[in-house]
Every structure is written in structure tokens, then in C-alpha cells.
Amino acid sequence: KITPGGLKALEAVYDLRVNDAEKVLDEELKNHPQNHYTYFLLNYCDVFKVMYNPSRKAFDEFENSAEKYMTIVENDKDTSLLHLASLYEMKLYRGVLKIKFGEKFSGLRYAYGSYNGVHDLLKGHPGYAPMQKLDGMFNIALSNMPSFVKFSVSLFGVSGNYIDGVKIMEEYY
């Protein structure tokens, strides 16, 4: 569930004020400890931290928290589209960062699981914007991956096109 505090935290992340977002999310956890979206946003903050500081130490810290947050979100019995979009987005970020930091097989597994989940849901909900956003991100990300990744995922029928990804992002965001 997206709460006013969650929206405030998301805005802070978009403004690159990750520390402010984390303070808001700490309060959200006190008020709404069962809200999976808060854990998604905490994970999102951690993704930005690794992007700011692409060091092995930052990645290892991300991995520790990502495992915890993903377990909480995966164990939530919520079947709403928002819940599933949040989970698939978390898997995508984790997969991309794992690939970047040399954990290629594990990263591909996370990214591919996210890709499959998104495309399965798009079949039944083609206009759902968060899923379309992820589809656009897949296209852009895959078109920019190293050749071994492109080859590996092509074996499973997966490909990405930068132009298509940008068009999807522009249409839905």
C-alpha cells in the first residue's frame, strides 16, 4: 500500500535525498510494519547508494539488506499488481547489480525471473504502468549489457531494444 509517507520518501529518493527518504521510511516502519511497499522503498534507497558509490563494500551492504527486504516482500501473501511489480523491480535491480559486480549467473537468474514475471503479468494487464515501466527498463538495460549477457538471455528468447525501451518509458512515465 502506498502511504503519504511512502510518497514523501519516494519523492526524496527522486530528489537524490536518500538519507531523508530513509528517515521517513524508518517512521513508516513504526506506523505500518506490515506494509511491503516500505521495504521496496528501503531497497530502492539501497540501490541508489550503490549507484552513488559503486564499490564492492557498498554492493555487499546492498546484498545484505536486499536479501532481508526481498524475503519480507516474497513472504507477504498480497497478490496485488503493486505488490508483484514491487517484487519484480527489486529482483531486476538485484540482478543488474549482481551482474555489475561479477556475480553473473546469479544476476542473470534474478533478472530473468523478474523479466518472466513482468511479461506474464503484462499478458493479463497490458496497460499497468509499473509493469510497463519495468518492460521499458528491461529493453534499455538489455540493449546495454555485455555481449555474454545478451547471448545468454537470447538462448531463452529474451532480447532488448533501446529505442523500444525509451518509447515505453515515455508513453507510461
Side-chain angles (χ1 to χ4, degrees):
K1 176 181 171 188
I2 300 174
T3 62
L7 287 175
K8 184 177 177 182
L10 186 58
E11 182 180 304
V13 173
Y14 287 157
D15 288 342
L16 306 179
R17 296 180 292 112
V18 174
N19 292 337
D20 292 345
E22 288 178 319
K23 288 176 187 169
V24 172
L25 293 170
D26 285 343
E27 197 60 36
E28 281 294 301
L29 283 178
K30 290 175 189 166
N31 296 327
H32 309 284
Q34 302 301 317
N35 187 354
H36 81 268
Y37 197 70
T38 305
Y39 295 100
F40 163 74
L41 291 172
L42 285 165
N43 186 77
Y44 200 47
C45 288
D46 290 344
V47 168
F48 271 80
K49 287 179 185 176
V50 177
M51 290 183 345
Y52 296 157
N53 176 19
S55 68
R56 184 66 198 198
K57 181 178 186 279
F59 171 71
D60 289 344
E61 289 171 0
F62 163 79
E63 268 296 283
N64 289 333
S65 62
E67 181 67 30
K68 174 183 155 189
Y69 299 149
M70 282 187 63
T71 299
I72 291 167
V73 174
E74 285 176 326
N75 289 335
D76 189 322
K77 303 299 181 211
D78 186 353
T79 58
S80 70
L81 289 176
L82 175 64
H83 177 79
L84 295 171
S86 300
L87 178 60
Y88 295 143
E89 191 165 343
M90 290 171 79
K91 286 183 177 187
L92 172 61
Y93 295 143
R94 193 169 186 194
V96 168
L97 290 175
K98 280 180 166 289
I99 291 167
K100 177 177 175 36
F101 285 91
E103 298 178 16
K104 296 172 183 170
F105 181 73
S106 177
L108 287 172
R109 195 170 44 89
Y110 275 101
Y112 186 64
S114 177
Y115 177 89
N116 278 338
V118 167
H119 283 271
D120 285 348
L121 285 173
L122 280 172
K123 290 174 188 170
H125 308 278
Y128 188 61
M131 291 299 177
Q132 289 292 346
K133 175 182 87 170
L134 287 172
D135 187 36
M137 290 169 66
F138 280 122
N139 273 284
I140 293 168
L142 284 170
S143 68
N144 287 297
M145 286 288 166
S147 53
F148 86 88
V149 174
K150 290 178 187 177
F151 173 75
S152 298
V153 298
S154 72
L155 296 174
F156 298 99
V158 177
S159 63
N161 181 292
Y162 180 83
I163 300 297
D164 291 345
V166 170
K167 285 180 183 175
I168 291 168
M169 297 294 279
E170 286 176 346
E171 180 178 345
Y172 287 91
Y173 286 90

